[in-house]
Amino acid sequence: MTVITTSPAQTEQLGERLARILEGGDIVTLQGDLGAGKTRFSQGVAFGLGVERSYPITSPTYTILNEYEGRLPLYHFDFYRFGAESDLRELGFEEQFYGRGVCLVEWPQRLAAGFSEEYLEIRIDLLGDDARSFTLIPHGSAFEARVVSFGQNIKKCFDHDSVSCY
Ligand code: ADP
Ligand code: MG
């Protein structure tokens, strides 16, 4: 499923909508170049999970992990600064990855494969100055049905002229 957003605000709204279908233990990966909108999307997810809007949701590029408390704990990772094939076990984040919260992972490419068989992969592509495409790829059975219903929900609530689902 692919959705196109045409403003940062709309990307945030998309994240907020996604938060509604997230459950404890979910892992969502965000792949896209610098400036694609991974952090902006994450802000929407945080607000959608009930983190207060006034709370600053910042990029964890230097801290690696930012933690927020919403209806579920949110663990926002950015592995940009790690070398390829970093081992999650050595990094010591197993508690978050296999806990009761939601993990949002920027730069999952830096991790050696196999942190989980069940995760939602989101690929973000820059289409133009303000246009971004979000492609949702479910891995494992847990996300398949949820991504379908998310797509239907997005079609209903987003302006058809500026957002397309296909
Ligand atoms: P990343 O975390 O992927 O490096 P950020 O979310 O930090 O990206 O930044 C995205 C940048 O792109 C911001 O400056 C934002 O204003 C801009 N932008 C323009 N159009 C969009 C859009 N449709 N969605 C998200 N960000 C957008
Ligand atoms: Mg970022």
Side-chain angles (χ1 to χ4, degrees):
M1 179 206 137
T2 298
V3 183
I4 294 167
T5 69
T6 54
S7 69
Q10 205 171 39
T11 289
E12 194 178 309
Q13 223 187 325
L14 188 69
E16 263 192 84
R17 290 272 163 180
L18 182 78
R20 296 184 187 187
I21 65 153
L22 294 178
E23 297 167 7
D26 281 348
I27 298 171
V28 179
T29 63
L30 298 170
Q31 288 193 47
D33 292 339
L34 285 173
K38 301 180 292 297
T39 297
R40 192 64 196 248
F41 181 81
S42 301
Q43 290 169 342
V45 172
F47 296 142
L49 284 177
V51 176
E52 265 188 57
R53 257 176 210 284
S54 56
Y55 203 90
I57 312 294
T58 55
S59 172
T61 308
Y62 296 101
T63 53
I64 303 154
L65 166 65
N66 287 345
E67 233 175 295
Y68 304 97
E69 199 59 47
R71 98 181 141 77
L72 299 166
L74 174 63
Y75 305 114
H76 183 196
F77 289 96
D78 186 335
F79 290 118
Y80 181 67
R81 289 168 62 245
F82 287 98
E85 304 286 296
S86 289
D87 190 325
L88 187 63
R89 282 165 300 186
E90 282 166 22
L91 296 173
F93 293 121
E94 285 176 296
E95 189 191 318
Q96 286 82 5
F97 270 81
Y98 305 109
R100 63 176 192 93
V102 169
C103 286
L104 265 185
V105 186
E106 299 189 30
W107 294 94
Q109 308 93 301
R110 298 287 199 261
L111 293 179
F115 54 87
S116 175
E117 286 175 9
E118 302 266 354
Y119 66 100
L120 177 61
E121 176 183 349
I122 300 183
R123 292 175 174 264
I124 311 173
D125 290 299
L126 283 106
L127 301 182
D129 285 349
D130 291 328
R132 307 284 190 269
S133 81
F134 290 76
T135 302
L136 279 67
I137 306 159
H139 292 267
S141 55
F143 279 104
E144 263 170 39
R146 282 192 279 159
V147 166
V148 171
S149 68
F150 177 66
Q152 288 162 349
N153 180 274
I154 288 298
K155 266 185 205 161
K156 266 184 253 162
C157 69
F158 270 54
D159 177 0
H160 278 266
D161 294 338
S162 53
V163 177
S164 49
C165 297
Y166 48 86

